[in-house]
Amino acid sequence: MPTLAVLTAAGSGTRLGLDLPKALVELDGLPLVVHAARRLCASGAVDTIVVTAPPGLREHVAALLRDDPVVDRPVRVVEGAGTRQASVAAGLRAGLVERPGGEPVDVVLVHDAARPLAPPALVRRVVEAVRAGHAAVVPGLPVTDTIKRVTAARAGDPSHAEPVAETVDRAVLRAVQTPQGFDRALLVRAHESAAHRADDERSAATDDAGLVEALGLPVHVVPGDTAAAKITTAHDLRVAALTLREER
Ligand SMILES: Nc1ccn([C@@H]2O[C@H](COP(=O)(O)OP(=O)(O)OP(=O)(O)O)[C@@H](O)[C@H]2O)c(=O)n1
Ligand SMILES: C[C@](O)(CO)[C@H](O)COP(=O)(O)O
């Protein structure tokens, strides 16, 4: 049965600090959203894609993807919303409309254009784990830094130094990435039951697996890939350019 990918691209990219939405920023001459869509298609594991575009840029994003020679799956573009969670919900609504005679989607991936170099093999790994029976799957990497839990700095301390409460056991930590993969019915249920918190940045979930966890249902981690790193800052964009060069 078919796999739908919701590709989130509606964010503004505030932390990147350029004067256009992050998904439209170019890496080696191609917008990030196009890099991400190309790799979803190259995986061979994705049948259709719904992209969440920044406000007012739906047509522009649709044209970019329509004109790209490597993006060879049907792509639908919808306008995103104010938070990532609300954008994914909008993408899901559009992507799961049944087409007459079409086979219903059974697996949904949610992927960030902000992770433009997530390799096709990673996409396949996530889809395979869902098809093997894990209803919610996230790629994750071991954490390599020593992690401290801190408490609030003392009021009036000019250094703003935060007291350390403990060193967390990093062996049990994973830094999770996208694409995240789900059984369709589970992801729809998870978004529906968290819809009341979708529009408030402080309460919205930062990833979709978190919504499944909130239902008390299991989420499994498969090995991630350093190439799927998230572009948040200008430094990350430079690292991605190096990753792309190494890939060639
Ligand atoms: N309202 C939003 C916010 C984010 N995203 C998408 O979710 C992914 C992860 O978001 P993030 O990296 O935080 O992107 P921005 O919100 O653009 O970044 P910033 O917080 O720096 O503005 C990105 O692909 C982004 O386009 C989205 O579709 N809709
Ligand atoms: C979904 C995600 O990419 C997984 O690491 C991440 O949670 C997105 O977070 P952001 O704060 O919206 O960048």
Side-chain angles (χ1 to χ4, degrees):
M1 283 214 272
T3 297
L4 165 75
V6 176
L7 179 56
T8 68
S12 53
T14 316
R15 291 169 287 179
L16 190 55
L18 300 175
D19 58 2
L20 76 170
K22 183 161 63 184
L24 299 178
V25 168
E26 291 191 356
L27 178 61
D28 199 29
L30 265 191
L32 301 187
V33 65
V34 178
H35 279 288
R38 280 186 172 193
R39 284 163 176 73
L40 287 172
C41 292
S43 73
V46 168
D47 298 282
T48 55
I49 302 175
V50 170
V51 180
T52 68
L57 291 170
R58 197 180 72 80
E59 274 307 322
H60 178 70
V61 171
L64 281 175
L65 294 165
R66 196 171 44 238
D67 295 345
D68 188 80
V70 183
V71 175
D72 61 357
R73 300 294 138 105
V75 177
R76 183 142 179 226
V77 183
V78 296
E79 228 171 77
T83 66
R84 182 185 181 281
Q85 182 185 329
S87 289
V88 174
L92 270 180
R93 279 192 298 275
L96 293 177
V97 171
E98 304 297 348
R99 308 274 183 286
E103 234 190 316
V105 163
D106 67 338
V107 173
V108 180
L109 294 181
V110 184
H111 185 37
D112 290 345
R115 296 184 184 272
L117 304 183
L122 178 65
V123 179
R124 285 194 293 275
R125 182 145 74 235
V126 171
V127 173
E128 278 161 18
V130 178
R131 294 204 179 278
H134 296 301
V137 174
V138 300
L141 290 175
V143 172
T144 52
D145 288 317
T146 294
I147 305 290
K148 310 277 186 202
R149 189 169 64 78
V150 298
T151 57
R154 187 165 43 82
D157 178 349
S159 71
H160 304 291
E162 298 165 314
V164 170
E166 65 166 336
T167 299
V168 179
D169 177 12
R170 70 182 177 195
V172 296
L173 298 181
R174 297 290 178 269
V176 307
Q177 305 179 320
T178 68
Q180 301 190 349
F182 305 89
D183 166 78
R184 169 212 176 125
L186 174 62
L187 185 61
V188 169
R189 184 180 152 204
H191 270 272
E192 278 172 0
S193 60
H196 60 283
R197 56 188 182 102
D199 295 323
D200 180 351
E201 208 169 313
R202 287 160 309 173
S203 62
T206 56
D207 79 339
D208 303 277
L211 300 179
V212 173
E213 291 157 44
L215 292 175
L217 294 172
V219 172
H220 287 83
V221 179
V222 294
D225 194 306
T226 51
K230 183 153 73 76
I231 295 179
T232 304
T233 63
H235 173 76
D236 299 332
L237 193 59
R238 291 194 290 275
V239 173
L242 285 175
T243 305
L244 196 57
R245 216 171 297 158
E246 276 170 11
E247 207 183 76
R248 287 177 176 157

